[in-house]
Amino acid sequence: MAEDGKNIDFFEPEMFMPGGILGKVLANFPAKPDPAAIFAMLLKIANEKLLEFEEQVREMAMEKIEEIKAEIMSRIPTKEELIRRFKNAACSKAAQAAMEKAYNILHGLLSKGDDVIGGIRDKFDAIIKKGEGFKAIIMKVGNVLKKILTVVIALIVAILILEQIILVIPLMWITGGILMKIVKAVDWLKDNFVKPMIGIARTLPQTLADIGNFAIKLIAIVAAVIVSIIAMHELIKFLMQVLEALYLKYLNMCNVIGEDIFPNEDLQTTIDPILNDDPNKDKQLTDLYASTLDGLTAGGNFKVIERLQRADFQQIGYKTYKI
């Protein structure tokens, strides 16, 4: 952003330097415009960006992610543990208070695990963006070098053509004067410009392609890690839905239907649609929430309604129903 001149007490050269790649190029530009040095400098900038990106990928390598996932899995409840918690659960007031505490602990563990997974995914999404940015840098550098190479190759061709023309000129014509200076200049250009630049022109495109493809490979590794993270998120989402469905059904059985315990057959009926990935499972749970809320409201059971609200369901569409 441009600064207001009256607020500047001292001018620095950096104020007028271009940013980004052009700024780095200008800062490192050789005193003499040697094309080989310019190419080497641009490749150095590209390699530095690549090494920076590679270091970030290595810091969050697949092995590390697997360690983190294993740590999360060791802390969150399994499906079997959730089901066992609700089997033949009693419906007394004391039992319901104890169940609420147990539910809050289990729900908190799942939420915390999902937060950790979400944070890791954000980091890898950021790395993907940097990788895509690096690919864009490769293209920018490549386009600059392509234009320079086009000019360089044209100069090489011109020099070689000039050399051939000189070869057919009678020797007596070039023993002195301007033509002799041209001959010396051509010889110097062949040794100091044509030979090194031919090598650069042949190898540079492949070098840039190799750098870019390495970045693409690293991006693919990060993408694979993100797929693994998404799978972990889906597992936690599944476990949370099982937990919330069981707790909702438990409150329904104890306070609307009026059972003394949570029957195992009703428990299984509640979670079967989730376990079998029934396409209607979300609607069934939403309907169960609505009928539970209606029953509690009709019976004036406002303490259990408050308990229902405190459950903070994440996988059941309870927010549709306002009290």
Side-chain angles (χ1 to χ4, degrees), residues 236-265:
I236 291 177
K237 178 181 174 182
F238 163 79
L239 291 172
M240 191 172 285
Q241 191 169 53
V242 169
L243 173 63
E244 291 178 356
L246 287 173
Y247 187 57
L248 175 61
K249 187 65 176 180
Y250 169 77
L251 293 178
N252 179 278
M253 296 297 296
C254 293
N255 300 285
V256 177
I257 296 177
E259 295 283 355
D260 293 327
I261 61 170
F262 189 2
N264 287 340
E265 58 269 22

Side-chain angles (χ1 to χ4, degrees), residues 79-90:
K79 176 189 68 177
E80 289 73 22
E81 288 171 338
L82 295 177
I83 294 172
R84 187 163 54 249
R85 174 72 65 174
F86 286 89
K87 276 189 175 180
N88 291 315

Side-chain angles (χ1 to χ4, degrees), residues 147-167:
K147 291 176 181 178
I148 296 174
L149 277 179
T150 302
V151 175
V152 167
I153 292 170
L155 288 173
I156 291 173
V157 171
I159 293 167
L160 295 176
I161 291 174
L162 182 58
E163 181 188 34
Q164 294 302 311
I165 292 173
I166 291 172
L167 289 175

Side-chain angles (χ1 to χ4, degrees), residues 50 121 132 175 260:
L50 178 62
R121 181 176 179 180
E132 295 296 340
T175 53
D260 293 327

Side-chain angles (χ1 to χ4, degrees), residues 24 45-54 134 137:
K24 286 192 174 184
I45 292 172
N47 269 306
E48 286 174 354
K49 288 291 183 181
L50 178 62
L51 291 174
E52 179 184 325
F53 179 51
E54 180 186 8
F134 178 77
I137 289 174

